[in-house]
PDB file of all heavy atoms in Angstrom:
ATOM      1  N   ASP A 230       2.715  21.037 -14.329  1.00 96.00           N
ATOM      2  CA  ASP A 230       2.355  20.501 -15.567  1.00 96.00           C
ATOM      3  C   ASP A 230       3.163  19.179 -15.760  1.00 96.00           C
ATOM      4  O   ASP A 230       2.524  18.099 -15.948  1.00 96.00           O
ATOM      5  CB  ASP A 230       2.704  21.500 -16.677  1.00 96.00           C
ATOM      6  CG  ASP A 230       2.341  21.074 -18.091  1.00 96.00           C
ATOM      7  OD1 ASP A 230       1.884  19.904 -18.321  1.00 96.00           O
ATOM      8  OD2 ASP A 230       2.549  21.879 -19.007  1.00 96.00           O
ATOM      9  N   ALA A 231       4.422  19.237 -15.764  1.00 96.00           N
ATOM     10  CA  ALA A 231       5.210  18.026 -16.240  1.00 96.00           C
ATOM     11  C   ALA A 231       4.970  16.899 -15.321  1.00 96.00           C
ATOM     12  O   ALA A 231       4.709  15.729 -15.659  1.00 96.00           O
ATOM     13  CB  ALA A 231       6.703  18.366 -16.284  1.00 96.00           C
ATOM     14  N   LEU A 232       5.125  17.103 -13.989  1.00 98.00           N
ATOM     15  CA  LEU A 232       5.039  16.050 -13.070  1.00 98.00           C
ATOM     16  C   LEU A 232       3.707  15.352 -12.970  1.00 98.00           C
ATOM     17  O   LEU A 232       3.555  14.232 -12.664  1.00 98.00           O
ATOM     18  CB  LEU A 232       5.474  16.487 -11.630  1.00 98.00           C
ATOM     19  CG  LEU A 232       6.891  16.879 -11.523  1.00 98.00           C
ATOM     20  CD1 LEU A 232       7.164  17.611 -10.229  1.00 98.00           C
ATOM     21  CD2 LEU A 232       7.866  15.704 -11.757  1.00 98.00           C
ATOM     22  N   THR A 233       2.716  16.191 -13.193  1.00 98.00           N
ATOM     23  CA  THR A 233       1.254  15.647 -13.140  1.00 98.00           C
ATOM     24  C   THR A 233       1.039  14.557 -14.124  1.00 98.00           C
ATOM     25  O   THR A 233       0.047  13.824 -14.101  1.00 98.00           O
ATOM     26  CB  THR A 233       0.224  16.726 -13.231  1.00 98.00           C
ATOM     27  OG1 THR A 233       0.538  17.709 -12.211  1.00 98.00           O
ATOM     28  CG2 THR A 233      -1.163  16.277 -12.990  1.00 98.00           C
ATOM     29  N   ASN A 234       1.884  14.403 -15.221  1.00 98.00           N
ATOM     30  CA  ASN A 234       1.665  13.340 -16.213  1.00 98.00           C
ATOM     31  C   ASN A 234       1.444  11.966 -15.601  1.00 98.00           C
ATOM     32  O   ASN A 234       0.748  11.154 -16.123  1.00 98.00           O
ATOM     33  CB  ASN A 234       2.800  13.444 -17.223  1.00 98.00           C
ATOM     34  CG  ASN A 234       3.984  12.470 -16.846  1.00 98.00           C
ATOM     35  OD1 ASN A 234       3.955  11.292 -17.197  1.00 98.00           O
ATOM     36  ND2 ASN A 234       4.925  13.026 -16.097  1.00 98.00           N
ATOM     37  N   TYR A 235       2.214  11.681 -14.543  1.00 98.00           N
ATOM     38  CA  TYR A 235       2.147  10.324 -13.991  1.00 98.00           C
ATOM     39  C   TYR A 235       0.788  10.093 -13.418  1.00 98.00           C
ATOM     40  O   TYR A 235       0.261   8.953 -13.517  1.00 98.00           O
ATOM     41  CB  TYR A 235       3.198  10.297 -12.788  1.00 98.00           C
ATOM     42  CG  TYR A 235       4.568  10.642 -13.197  1.00 98.00           C
ATOM     43  CD1 TYR A 235       5.289  11.645 -12.415  1.00 98.00           C
ATOM     44  CD2 TYR A 235       5.283  10.050 -14.193  1.00 98.00           C
ATOM     45  CE1 TYR A 235       6.598  12.025 -12.852  1.00 98.00           C
ATOM     46  CE2 TYR A 235       6.613  10.310 -14.552  1.00 98.00           C
ATOM     47  CZ  TYR A 235       7.257  11.377 -13.889  1.00 98.00           C
ATOM     48  OH  TYR A 235       8.550  11.730 -14.209  1.00 98.00           O
ATOM     49  N   ALA A 236       0.111  11.099 -12.842  1.00 98.00           N
ATOM     50  CA  ALA A 236      -1.176  10.958 -12.297  1.00 98.00           C
ATOM     51  C   ALA A 236      -2.248  10.917 -13.349  1.00 98.00           C
ATOM     52  O   ALA A 236      -3.189  10.103 -13.340  1.00 98.00           O
ATOM     53  CB  ALA A 236      -1.510  12.027 -11.293  1.00 98.00           C
ATOM     54  N   THR A 237      -1.982  11.831 -14.427  1.00 98.00           N
ATOM     55  CA  THR A 237      -2.950  11.824 -15.573  1.00 98.00           C
ATOM     56  C   THR A 237      -3.053  10.371 -16.153  1.00 98.00           C
ATOM     57  O   THR A 237      -4.137   9.916 -16.451  1.00 98.00           O
ATOM     58  CB  THR A 237      -2.374  12.707 -16.688  1.00 98.00           C
ATOM     59  OG1 THR A 237      -2.245  13.984 -16.197  1.00 98.00           O
ATOM     60  CG2 THR A 237      -3.285  12.695 -17.873  1.00 98.00           C
ATOM     61  N   ALA A 238      -1.981   9.707 -16.464  1.00 98.00           N
ATOM     62  CA  ALA A 238      -1.996   8.378 -17.137  1.00 98.00           C
ATOM     63  C   ALA A 238      -2.650   7.341 -16.234  1.00 98.00           C
ATOM     64  O   ALA A 238      -3.217   6.393 -16.709  1.00 98.00           O
ATOM     65  CB  ALA A 238      -0.590   7.965 -17.460  1.00 98.00           C
ATOM     66  N   ALA A 239      -2.682   7.537 -14.977  1.00 98.00           N
ATOM     67  CA  ALA A 239      -3.231   6.582 -14.010  1.00 98.00           C
ATOM     68  C   ALA A 239      -4.734   6.802 -13.900  1.00 98.00           C
ATOM     69  O   ALA A 239      -5.452   5.988 -13.199  1.00 98.00           O
ATOM     70  CB  ALA A 239      -2.589   6.701 -12.600  1.00 98.00           C
ATOM     71  N   GLY A 240      -5.312   7.827 -14.483  1.00 98.00           N
ATOM     72  CA  GLY A 240      -6.679   8.131 -14.499  1.00 98.00           C
ATOM     73  C   GLY A 240      -7.108   9.187 -13.502  1.00 98.00           C
ATOM     74  O   GLY A 240      -8.383   9.234 -13.102  1.00 98.00           O
ATOM     75  N   TYR A 241      -6.284  10.057 -13.042  1.00 98.00           N
ATOM     76  CA  TYR A 241      -6.553  11.037 -11.942  1.00 98.00           C
ATOM     77  C   TYR A 241      -7.766  11.846 -12.255  1.00 98.00           C
ATOM     78  O   TYR A 241      -8.615  12.049 -11.430  1.00 98.00           O
ATOM     79  CB  TYR A 241      -5.359  11.881 -11.696  1.00 98.00           C
ATOM     80  CG  TYR A 241      -5.594  12.955 -10.698  1.00 98.00           C
ATOM     81  CD1 TYR A 241      -5.901  12.693  -9.339  1.00 98.00           C
ATOM     82  CD2 TYR A 241      -5.572  14.303 -11.051  1.00 98.00           C
ATOM     83  CE1 TYR A 241      -6.067  13.691  -8.361  1.00 98.00           C
ATOM     84  CE2 TYR A 241      -5.665  15.341 -10.169  1.00 98.00           C
ATOM     85  CZ  TYR A 241      -5.999  15.024  -8.798  1.00 98.00           C
ATOM     86  OH  TYR A 241      -6.249  16.016  -7.899  1.00 98.00           O
ATOM     87  N   ALA A 242      -7.864  12.358 -13.539  1.00 97.00           N
ATOM     88  CA  ALA A 242      -8.992  13.306 -13.863  1.00 97.00           C
ATOM     89  C   ALA A 242     -10.210  12.638 -14.475  1.00 97.00           C
ATOM     90  O   ALA A 242     -11.306  13.131 -14.245  1.00 97.00           O
ATOM     91  CB  ALA A 242      -8.421  14.364 -14.901  1.00 97.00           C
ATOM     92  N   ASP A 243     -10.035  11.447 -15.039  1.00 95.00           N
ATOM     93  CA  ASP A 243     -11.146  10.987 -15.880  1.00 95.00           C
ATOM     94  C   ASP A 243     -11.587   9.515 -15.469  1.00 95.00           C
ATOM     95  O   ASP A 243     -12.559   9.037 -16.065  1.00 95.00           O
ATOM     96  CB  ASP A 243     -10.832  11.001 -17.303  1.00 95.00           C
ATOM     97  CG  ASP A 243      -9.530  10.276 -17.770  1.00 95.00           C
ATOM     98  OD1 ASP A 243      -8.967   9.639 -16.858  1.00 95.00           O
ATOM     99  OD2 ASP A 243      -9.182  10.408 -18.952  1.00 95.00           O
ATOM    100  N   ASP A 244     -10.815   8.826 -14.619  1.00 97.00           N
ATOM    101  CA  ASP A 244     -11.244   7.436 -14.303  1.00 97.00           C
ATOM    102  C   ASP A 244     -10.833   7.135 -12.846  1.00 97.00           C
ATOM    103  O   ASP A 244      -9.850   6.533 -12.568  1.00 97.00           O
ATOM    104  CB  ASP A 244     -10.431   6.581 -15.247  1.00 97.00           C
ATOM    105  CG  ASP A 244     -11.000   5.074 -15.195  1.00 97.00           C
ATOM    106  OD1 ASP A 244     -11.676   4.693 -14.230  1.00 97.00           O
ATOM    107  OD2 ASP A 244     -10.707   4.280 -16.206  1.00 97.00           O
ATOM    108  N   PRO A 245     -11.708   7.597 -11.838  1.00 95.00           N
ATOM    109  CA  PRO A 245     -11.410   7.383 -10.486  1.00 95.00           C
ATOM    110  C   PRO A 245     -11.213   6.039 -10.074  1.00 95.00           C
ATOM    111  O   PRO A 245     -10.296   5.658  -9.226  1.00 95.00           O
ATOM    112  CB  PRO A 245     -12.549   8.095  -9.850  1.00 95.00           C
ATOM    113  CG  PRO A 245     -13.209   8.976 -10.717  1.00 95.00           C
ATOM    114  CD  PRO A 245     -12.906   8.374 -12.132  1.00 95.00           C
ATOM    115  N   ALA A 246     -11.980   5.079 -10.634  1.00 95.00           N
ATOM    116  CA  ALA A 246     -11.885   3.661 -10.328  1.00 95.00           C
ATOM    117  C   ALA A 246     -10.521   3.161 -10.725  1.00 95.00           C
ATOM    118  O   ALA A 246      -9.777   2.380  -9.921  1.00 95.00           O
ATOM    119  CB  ALA A 246     -13.011   2.872 -10.975  1.00 95.00           C
ATOM    120  N   ARG A 247     -10.061   3.485 -11.918  1.00 96.00           N
ATOM    121  CA  ARG A 247      -8.687   3.005 -12.328  1.00 96.00           C
ATOM    122  C   ARG A 247      -7.615   3.617 -11.492  1.00 96.00           C
ATOM    123  O   ARG A 247      -6.724   3.012 -11.104  1.00 96.00           O
ATOM    124  CB  ARG A 247      -8.517   3.417 -13.835  1.00 96.00           C
ATOM    125  CG  ARG A 247      -7.231   2.844 -14.389  1.00 96.00           C
ATOM    126  CD  ARG A 247      -7.113   3.008 -15.868  1.00 96.00           C
ATOM    127  NE  ARG A 247      -5.801   2.488 -16.404  1.00 96.00           N
ATOM    128  CZ  ARG A 247      -4.703   3.251 -16.457  1.00 96.00           C
ATOM    129  NH1 ARG A 247      -4.629   4.460 -16.145  1.00 96.00           N
ATOM    130  NH2 ARG A 247      -3.556   2.666 -17.017  1.00 96.00           N
ATOM    131  N   PHE A 248      -7.762   4.917 -11.139  1.00 97.00           N
ATOM    132  CA  PHE A 248      -6.723   5.540 -10.349  1.00 97.00           C
ATOM    133  C   PHE A 248      -6.667   4.910  -9.018  1.00 97.00           C
ATOM    134  O   PHE A 248      -5.467   4.735  -8.490  1.00 97.00           O
ATOM    135  CB  PHE A 248      -7.164   7.023 -10.221  1.00 97.00           C
ATOM    136  CG  PHE A 248      -6.087   7.922  -9.516  1.00 97.00           C
ATOM    137  CD1 PHE A 248      -4.975   8.277 -10.229  1.00 97.00           C
ATOM    138  CD2 PHE A 248      -6.186   8.267  -8.269  1.00 97.00           C
ATOM    139  CE1 PHE A 248      -3.940   8.999  -9.652  1.00 97.00           C
ATOM    140  CE2 PHE A 248      -5.235   9.079  -7.598  1.00 97.00           C
ATOM    141  CZ  PHE A 248      -4.098   9.462  -8.323  1.00 97.00           C
ATOM    142  N   ALA A 249      -7.707   4.426  -8.440  1.00 95.00           N
ATOM    143  CA  ALA A 249      -7.657   3.729  -7.115  1.00 95.00           C
ATOM    144  C   ALA A 249      -6.992   2.446  -7.224  1.00 95.00           C
ATOM    145  O   ALA A 249      -6.371   1.904  -6.364  1.00 95.00           O
ATOM    146  CB  ALA A 249      -9.067   3.551  -6.672  1.00 95.00           C
ATOM    147  N   ARG A 250      -6.943   1.796  -8.379  1.00 95.00           N
ATOM    148  CA  ARG A 250      -6.229   0.522  -8.650  1.00 95.00           C
ATOM    149  C   ARG A 250      -4.770   0.754  -8.916  1.00 95.00           C
ATOM    150  O   ARG A 250      -3.938  -0.078  -8.461  1.00 95.00           O
ATOM    151  CB  ARG A 250      -6.891  -0.250  -9.785  1.00 95.00           C
ATOM    152  CG  ARG A 250      -8.219  -0.781  -9.592  1.00 95.00           C
ATOM    153  CD  ARG A 250      -8.567  -1.753 -10.775  1.00 95.00           C
ATOM    154  NE  ARG A 250      -7.711  -2.879 -10.840  1.00 95.00           N
ATOM    155  CZ  ARG A 250      -6.826  -3.187 -11.781  1.00 95.00           C
ATOM    156  NH1 ARG A 250      -6.783  -2.386 -12.824  1.00 95.00           N
ATOM    157  NH2 ARG A 250      -6.096  -4.294 -11.808  1.00 95.00           N
ATOM    158  N   VAL A 251      -4.419   1.748  -9.619  1.00 96.00           N
ATOM    159  CA  VAL A 251      -3.099   1.927 -10.157  1.00 96.00           C
ATOM    160  C   VAL A 251      -2.168   2.753  -9.293  1.00 96.00           C
ATOM    161  O   VAL A 251      -1.012   2.392  -9.138  1.00 96.00           O
ATOM    162  CB  VAL A 251      -3.138   2.501 -11.602  1.00 96.00           C
ATOM    163  CG1 VAL A 251      -1.714   2.838 -12.138  1.00 96.00           C
ATOM    164  CG2 VAL A 251      -3.876   1.594 -12.497  1.00 96.00           C
ATOM    165  N   TRP A 252      -2.792   3.813  -8.673  1.00 97.00           N
ATOM    166  CA  TRP A 252      -1.965   4.686  -7.923  1.00 97.00           C
ATOM    167  C   TRP A 252      -1.712   4.242  -6.461  1.00 97.00           C
ATOM    168  O   TRP A 252      -2.720   3.562  -5.921  1.00 97.00           O
ATOM    169  CB  TRP A 252      -2.609   6.143  -7.881  1.00 97.00           C
ATOM    170  CG  TRP A 252      -1.690   7.214  -7.441  1.00 97.00           C
ATOM    171  CD1 TRP A 252      -1.660   7.740  -6.206  1.00 97.00           C
ATOM    172  CD2 TRP A 252      -0.652   7.840  -8.233  1.00 97.00           C
ATOM    173  NE1 TRP A 252      -0.598   8.660  -6.190  1.00 97.00           N
ATOM    174  CE2 TRP A 252      -0.010   8.753  -7.339  1.00 97.00           C
ATOM    175  CE3 TRP A 252      -0.185   7.694  -9.570  1.00 97.00           C
ATOM    176  CZ2 TRP A 252       1.019   9.596  -7.774  1.00 97.00           C
ATOM    177  CZ3 TRP A 252       0.826   8.482  -9.972  1.00 97.00           C
ATOM    178  CH2 TRP A 252       1.457   9.368  -9.135  1.00 97.00           C
TER     179      TRP A 252
END
Side-chain angles (χ1 to χ4, degrees):
D230 182 355
L232 295 172
T233 304
N234 89 89
Y235 306 123
T237 300
Y241 176 64
D243 56 7
D244 194 342
R247 183 170 182 273
F248 189 72
R250 289 190 66 243
V251 173
W252 195 261

